[in-house]
Each structure stands twice: as C-alpha cells, then as structure tokens.
Amino acid sequence: MTDHHIGMIVPSSNLTMETELPRMLREREAVLPEDRFVFHSSRMRMQHVTPEQLRAMNAQTERAALELADARPDVVATACLVAIMAQGPGHHCTAEAEITGVLRSQGAQAPVVSSAGALLDGIKALGAGRVAIITPYMKPLTRLVAGYIEDAGIEVVDALSLEVPDNLAVARLDPADLRDHWRRLDLSRADALVLSACVQMPSLPSLQPVEDAAGLPVLSAAAATAYRILTELGLPTFVPGAGSLLSGGVPGRAAA
C-alpha cells in the first residue's frame, strides 16, 4: 500500500472540501486499496463571500502554503474557486504559480492544483464546449464565474444562482435538493452540467443520480479537483459513483 499525502488550503469557513474530497477517495480505496490518502489542511480566514473578504483571504496564501510545505505533501490543492476567479480571467495560473514558488522555497516539490483551474480542466477533459452551471452565489458572483469559464473558451449556456451569501449556510445546503434544481436549467445546448461550481456547496451524493437523469456528463468543482489530484499523482482517475469525469475513462490532464 502507498500513502499519498494531500495538502489542502481551505477557507476557514469551508466545511465541504474536507468532507467530499476524503469521501471520494475513501470510496476509491474500497475498490483500489493499494492507494491510500492522507489529508493535511491549512486554513485562511473568510466568513462571507464578498469581494473584500475574498481579497483578504487571498492575502493569507503565502502563510498557508508555508505551513503545508513543512508537511512535505505529495500534492497541494487550493480550494476556494470564487476567491481565485474573482481576481480576473486566468488568475488560477497566477495563484498556482504563487503557491508553487512558496513550496519550492522550502524544498517542497509538490505539484499545485486549484479548484478553479481543475474545473476548467475537467470540463475540457470531458470534451465539453458548452456547460450549464449551478452556484450558491449571489447573481453578480455567478456572472463573474460564468465569465471566467467563458474566457477559457467554454460557453456557459445557462446558470442558476441559489443566492446564499453566508459561507457556512452554503455548507449546510442539502445536496439532495440539486436533484430538483438542475431541472430549472435549459440544457438543450449543454454538453455537460456543473452541478456545483463551488467547493463549499455539497453535491457529491447527487452527481451520479443527476447524471443518470440528465443524460449528459455531470461534474462539480470538488470532483474536478479530485480528478486533477489523481492525475498529478499519476493514478487512474477513478472514483465509483462520482460521474463521468471520475469513471476512469477520462485519463490524463486536459490542456490548459
């Protein structure tokens, strides 16, 4: 057996990334027990998803990365999609490079994954040029996320905002409700559905059921992050019951 050490940089009020990512990889361990996963987190203070608090949280990135460098993880994932996207198109590349620089300064060689970059990679890996998205954000932030995705060459054909401004309240949303929410979207031109364009909004229990009902690939920011982590570790991108992206049939990493 091999233990893979995963470092995570998460907002202080994020409850979901440290729930869904380990849950996905435990499900994988049940089928492929030769690979096990250990998690180490560093937190950055953020309570409300506002431009001011997102900027303040981003300013804590160096400190969080330094803490993880001391643990010598095999891969590091930074897990606040909207904090990165709010800084402007393509900022995931800048954020990943910043964290990589901090890690390297301490002798840590781990590759860096961002949930924002992972979502784009996951959509492209599925061969989807058009997506519909569901977010927990207020409508202005949802438009920002849609614009970020479109800047990467992916058309957002429809978007649903659940308009929950408090980050802890987002974590308490019932993922089963997504099995109804997706029906409010126009999927007639969509190649894929992003069931949760936010690593704080729970969606894992609904990924496969919605994919089965909708008849097109369904992914989330958390599932896309798991896909990128497995890819960076050189492991098969398989998690049972987590949608097409993690079916094991979408190998490798999509070109950025």
Side-chain angles (χ1 to χ4, degrees), residues 15 18 26 62 76 83 97 107 123 135 140 180 184 192 201 203-204:
L15 307 181
E18 292 158 310
R26 281 198 301 270
E62 181 178 3
V76 169
I123 293 168
T135 85
D180 295 318
R184 298 160 60 188
M201 184 168 74
S203 64
L204 181 58

Side-chain angles (χ1 to χ4, degrees), residues 75-149:
V75 61
V76 169
T78 181
C80 187
L81 178 142
V82 74
I84 288 177
M85 290 189 176
Q87 308 312 307
H91 187 74
H92 64 281
C93 297
T94 301
E96 290 172 10
E98 178 186 359
I99 296 167
T100 298
V102 174
L103 295 175
R104 298 296 181 273
S105 75
Q106 302 302 307
Q109 301 304 310
V112 176
V113 171
S114 69
S115 56
L119 181 60
L120 299 179
D121 283 347
I123 293 168
K124 292 178 181 179
L126 288 168
R130 298 182 299 272
V131 298
I133 66 173
I134 301 176
T135 85
Y137 311 129
M138 306 304 284
K139 289 178 181 177
L141 275 180
T142 298
R143 287 194 293 269
L144 183 152
V145 169
Y148 195 100
I149 294 170

